[in-house]
Amino acid sequence: MSETDEFEAIRPFRDEELPGAVARLLADDEFLDLVVRYRFPGAPAFARPLLSWATARWIAARARRYRTIDAFQVSLESWFDRMIETTTDGFTWSGAEGLRRDGAHLFVSNHRDIAMDSAFMNVALHAEGLGTSRIAVGDNLLKKDFATTLMRLNKSFVVRRSVKGVREQLAAFTLTSRYLHHSIGEGVSVWIAQREGRAKDGRDVTEPAIVKMFHVSQRKSGRSFPEVIASLHVVPVAISYELDPCDTLKARELAVRETTGTYEKPDDEDLKSIVRGITGEKGRVHLHFGEELVAPPEDPDAVAAEIDRQIHAGFRLWPTQLAAYRRLGGTVPAALAEEVGEASEAVRRAFDARQEGLTEVERRWFLRQYAAPVAFRLGEEPPSGGEALDV
């Protein structure tokens, strides 16, 4: 089996597949309806069929201009600029000067938003004159055909999380590992979350199992564990949002889990979270590139701990997070408060408004997701369960 065949089911689309992928999107009524609802939120129902038709023609006309996936991505630059202008109070980044200009990185990032974490990073990379990265996406997010097409058009590759059985899971784990090494070997960077799923409670902690996956396909290579990790040029990435568009959704889910012991996710929840993450108010957003792990530790737990250390240190704290920490009974050192500064009046109003209507348990989880990074910065362990706190 060739490498091309091996990765056929999980890899991003190639340039020659761009026209077919766009054609499938334009034939998908559900996709067109979603675009119309996003671009024309106030449009009456009777007008949507005409708007869908016009939208399809507009997309088709634009897509015909592009012959490569990279060109198609660059064409979305104006859309990203508009999104940043209308939903943030500014996007900044730091640490890019330490990135390699002549090769690829495996970016291991904390994970707060399904689509925007990696999107913001690629905006920063493009602005720095570096190639955008491929994006690891769990197959749990790809229940809709158009979602799969969109993701693979955007340099995403599929991580098979839904497979059952130990043998099947190991095979999926190994395939992902091989693809990571394949991508870095091709000189194409990769974004992957430090854990499976978003850190809905604000606890940005790397799963050692993710680090083990980096190595699993290379066990017979003759190289040591640190040599394999070093070959991936791992760079921790920390992204922080002054306001999380999905904060109340996360709080309600965690409250249900606390009170009932389980949570049944609706089929369309991930899609709604993606739309809210794109369109929702974010306040200020900052992304920090850490230092490459040029001399990785000897075992996965130690590598995970180093990634955590860099993410917690590079995480830009915002006034909303300090406010949440205080409301949970914590004391913010004066030096840290001075470093972080004050929130705008608009952000303060938005932060308070989002808590209106939440139950006591939901509000506790709402505050915890904002307060956890402060606890990490102060060397504390954030609460992870139903501990009673002063709220």
Side-chain angles (χ1 to χ4, degrees):
M1 178 184 292
S2 70
E3 281 189 335
T4 300
D5 294 330
E6 180 183 15
F7 302 128
E8 187 72 21
I10 68 168
R11 62 168 175 77
F13 289 131
R14 298 193 187 95
D15 293 341
E16 64 269 21
E17 295 169 313
L18 175 60
V22 172
R24 286 195 296 278
L25 285 176
L26 300 186
D28 192 309
D29 292 337
E30 191 173 7
F31 164 72
L32 291 173
D33 185 62
L34 181 68
V35 174
V36 167
R37 288 174 184 270
Y38 166 63
R39 289 184 59 85
F40 310 102
F46 71 83
R48 287 180 191 150
L50 178 59
L51 289 171
S52 292
W53 174 82
T55 297
R57 289 179 62 87
W58 179 79
I59 293 174
R62 286 181 63 89
R64 281 195 291 269
R65 306 176 193 172
Y66 309 111
R67 296 291 181 265
T68 68
I69 298 294
D70 281 337
F72 183 74
Q73 269 198 328
V74 170
S75 76
L76 300 176
E77 185 175 0
S78 61
W79 180 88
F80 276 108
D81 289 343
R82 186 165 62 251
M83 180 276 297
I84 291 171
E85 181 180 352
T86 58
T87 72
T88 81
D89 293 329
F91 169 51
T92 55
W93 60 90
S94 56
E97 66 278 1
L99 299 178
R100 304 165 72 234
R101 295 273 164 177
D102 58 349
H105 288 288
L106 175 58
F107 296 109
V108 183
S109 174
N110 66 326
H111 192 23
R112 297 304 182 86
D113 186 275
I114 293 174
M116 297 314 301
D117 295 346
S118 55
F120 275 119
M121 190 193 76
N122 274 335
V123 168
L125 290 174
H126 178 67
E128 292 286 340
L130 299 169
T132 56
S133 74
R134 290 171 180 165
I135 303 162
V137 176
D139 59 1
N140 57 300
L141 300 176
L142 305 178
K143 296 176 182 178
K144 303 284 188 181
D145 288 342
F146 73 80
T148 302
T149 302
L150 275 175
M151 292 293 191
R152 294 179 72 186
L153 268 176
N154 195 37
K155 285 191 174 181
S156 296
F157 64 95
V158 181
V159 177
R160 292 172 172 167
R161 292 177 178 162
S162 60
V163 294
K164 304 298 182 183
V166 175
R167 182 177 298 177
E168 291 78 8
Q169 289 174 348
L170 178 59
F173 207 59
T174 304
L175 181 64
T176 301
S177 177
R178 280 201 291 268
Y179 190 72
L180 294 179
H181 286 274
H182 172 73
S183 292
I184 300 300
E186 283 189 321
V188 183
S189 293
V190 173
W191 177 97
I192 192 168
Q194 68 180 158
R195 54 180 285 175
E196 183 177 324
R198 292 170 290 165
K200 297 173 185 175
D201 58 0
R203 294 169 56 86
D204 297 318
V205 178
T206 304
E207 292 178 350
I210 297 291
V211 180
K212 292 176 183 177
M213 183 264 290
F214 299 162
H215 175 256
V216 68
S217 67
Q218 306 297 307
R219 288 178 298 180
K220 298 179 181 179
S221 68
R223 295 182 295 170
S224 68
F225 173 80
E227 288 173 332
V228 169
I229 300 302
S231 72
L232 291 171
H233 306 288
V234 174
V235 170
V237 173
I239 187 166
S240 59
Y241 302 82
E242 191 170 21
L243 293 169
D244 183 339
C246 296
D247 47 17
T248 56
L249 297 179
K250 295 173 182 177
R252 290 189 173 109
E253 176 184 335
L254 293 171
V256 170
R257 289 184 185 277
E258 178 182 336
T259 54
T260 70
T262 187
Y263 178 77
E264 196 68 35
K265 182 188 291 187
D267 287 342
D268 63 346
E269 182 173 295
D270 287 333
L271 194 57
K272 287 182 177 179
S273 292
I274 290 172
V275 173
R276 184 176 290 195
I278 294 171
T279 61
E281 184 181 2
K282 304 170 185 65
R284 289 170 289 181
V285 181
H286 185 78
L287 184 140
H288 177 72
F289 296 100
E291 297 179 0
E292 181 181 334
L293 275 59
V294 293
E298 294 287 335
D299 64 82
D301 288 342
V303 170
E306 172 58 17
I307 293 171
D308 289 348
R309 184 193 69 78
Q310 291 205 36
I311 287 176
H312 298 159
F315 189 101
R316 174 72 59 86
L317 292 174
W318 302 114
T320 47
Q321 287 144 356
L322 299 192
Y325 184 77
R326 291 188 183 104
R327 292 180 191 183
L328 289 171
T331 300
V332 178
L336 181 59
E338 183 178 357
E339 173 192 329
V340 172
E342 299 292 332
S344 68
E345 182 60 32
V347 167
R348 280 198 293 268
R349 287 197 303 268
F351 185 67
D352 290 336
R354 292 183 186 196
Q355 298 174 61
E356 295 176 2
L358 297 180
T359 67
E360 181 180 344
V361 177
E362 290 169 347
R363 182 166 172 257
R364 186 193 308 140
W365 282 114
F366 177 94
L367 293 173
R368 279 178 176 168
Q369 64 186 279
Y370 281 96
V374 183
F376 281 127
R377 179 68 61 83
L378 297 177
E380 302 170 0
E381 179 65 18
S384 60
E387 298 95 329
L389 294 175
D390 179 15
V391 296

